[in-house]
Amino acid sequence: QVQLVESGGGLVQAGGSLRLSCAASGRTFSSYAMGWFRQAPGKEREFVAVISASGATTNYADSVKGRFTISRDNAKNTVLLQMNSLKVEDAGVYFCAAGYDADTWNVPEEYDYWGQGTQVTVST
């Protein structure tokens, strides 16, 4: 019962920063863990980051740890992904996803709802 809409993608130079936003519908947003995944051309969808329903816990892929920060504002039904020190290999379509009781948080199959994706392009 959650609709997700990502925004904030675009073109950024390597080393730069980008802030992605995911707006969720419904009053039950706070019941869902929220994850970010990305998919580069010809590659499988890859886990990026997740934040628990309460916002108390976050986890990151090793490849982005220390550079990306996930956060949420349950009052605004919004999840953010702050991406710093972007690398060429960070490029791809970024998806936000909502999962109810998503214990295996790095697996796409754990998530129940997905946004449409937003393109992130990193130039050299």
Side-chain angles (χ1 to χ4, degrees):
Q1 56 180 337
V2 178
Q3 281 190 301
L4 308 173
V5 180
E6 302 102 329
S7 62
L11 174 65
V12 64
Q13 193 173 41
S17 298
L18 204 60
R19 186 180 179 91
L20 305 183
S21 179
C22 177
S25 66
R27 63 181 296 273
T28 61
F29 171 74
S30 61
S31 298
Y32 292 83
M34 297 296 300
W36 285 97
F37 291 77
R38 67 190 181 190
Q39 189 165 22
K43 303 185 73 174
E44 292 186 347
R45 191 163 298 186
E46 174 189 28
F47 168 76
V48 176
V50 64
I51 187 166
S52 62
S54 68
T57 303
T58 59
N59 287 285
Y60 300 89
D62 288 341
S63 59
V64 306
K65 192 173 299 181
R67 299 187 297 119
F68 290 12
T69 303
I70 187 171
S71 61
R72 70 189 297 161
D73 186 339
N74 286 345
K76 297 180 179 179
N77 284 11
T78 301
V79 178
L80 303 175
L81 184 68
Q82 177 66 47
M83 305 185 294
N84 298 326
S85 301
L86 281 162
K87 305 174 180 179
V88 171
E89 53 262 43
D90 293 319
V93 178
Y94 281 69
F95 301 88
C96 70
Y100 185 82
D101 194 24
D103 293 325
T104 313
W105 37 262
N106 61 336
V107 178
E109 288 74 16
E110 285 287 316
Y111 294 83
D112 305 300
Y113 303 97
W114 293 83
Q116 81 288 351
T118 185
Q119 176 70 235
V120 172
T121 303
V122 184
S123 64
T124 59

